Amino acid sequence: MTTLADARVIDLPRIERPEGSITPVEGAATVPFGIERVYYLYDVVGGASRGGHAHHELEQLIVAAMGSFSVILDDGNNRQRYDLTRAYHGLYVPAMVWRELVDFTSGAVCIVLASRPYEESDYIRDHAEFVTEKHRRAAG
Ligand code: TYD
């Protein structure tokens, strides 16, 4: 059963040159899962929050590639806020952890590396249902 202890900020490689920086992410060498999908959030409206769900199986690495935002993780017992402000920090979010993305700066871009294709059936979008499922798994 995953808890907040399984989440962590991973330091991604940084290649810094006077003319700019590169952060390469090469699968298993950098991320604790096989990358099956990449998507990005942009044009986020001021004050909007994203996420507000958990996944049965999906693992993700969340990166503030441009600007910054915060991610609030919740494992059904505890909550923790991560401020992502650097393009070389990736927040690893295991399966069965509730997440909310808040406080996007103007023009922020969030890149998400994901372990599985998009599957609506993998989402838990109701927080009470999430907590019930956590307790069911913990008991079983
Ligand atoms: P959702 O994951 O709920 O957005 P967020 O957590 O960022 O607020 O997805 C919003 C919509 O986009 C939903 O209708 C499903 C669709 N979607 C895809 O079709 N493919 C994807 O890879 C993702 C992430 C979302």
Side-chain angles (χ1 to χ4, degrees):
M1 175 51 52
T2 55
T3 70
L4 288 185
D6 299 303
R8 61 190 178 276
V9 175
I10 295 174
D11 273 323
L12 302 172
R14 255 193 292 173
I15 302 165
E16 295 186 328
R17 298 276 185 271
E19 58 276 14
S21 304
I22 300 177
T23 285
V25 181
E26 294 198 22
T30 316
V31 185
F33 54 80
I35 299 166
E36 186 68 30
R37 175 170 53 121
V38 175
Y39 64 91
Y40 28 100
L41 304 177
Y42 53 97
D43 291 348
V44 178
V45 172
S49 64
R50 305 295 305 257
H53 56 251
H55 291 275
H56 289 284
E57 302 287 346
L58 188 75
E59 299 168 79
Q60 294 177 315
L61 190 83
I62 300 177
V63 179
M66 178 79 191
S68 68
F69 53 85
S70 297
V71 184
I72 299 164
L73 297 185
D74 168 357
D75 65 7
N77 288 314
N78 296 294
R79 287 164 71 87
Q80 187 163 344
R81 179 185 173 106
Y82 296 85
D83 299 325
L84 296 182
T85 61
R86 302 288 179 194
Y88 50 83
H89 287 162
L91 175 62
Y92 170 67
V93 182
M96 287 302 290
V97 169
W98 188 270
R99 88 290 315 278
E100 284 170 37
L101 281 63
V102 299
D103 294 341
F104 285 82
T105 56
S106 176
V109 177
C110 167
I111 294 183
V112 182
L113 312 180
S115 66
R116 297 169 67 92
Y118 171 74
E119 300 157 299
E120 184 58 36
S121 60
D122 188 61
Y123 280 74
I124 304 175
R125 294 189 182 275
D126 181 88
H127 190 265
E129 186 188 325
F130 165 70
V131 173
T132 302
E133 176 68 7
K134 284 299 268 191
H135 291 157
R136 193 187 66 76
R137 289 198 192 192

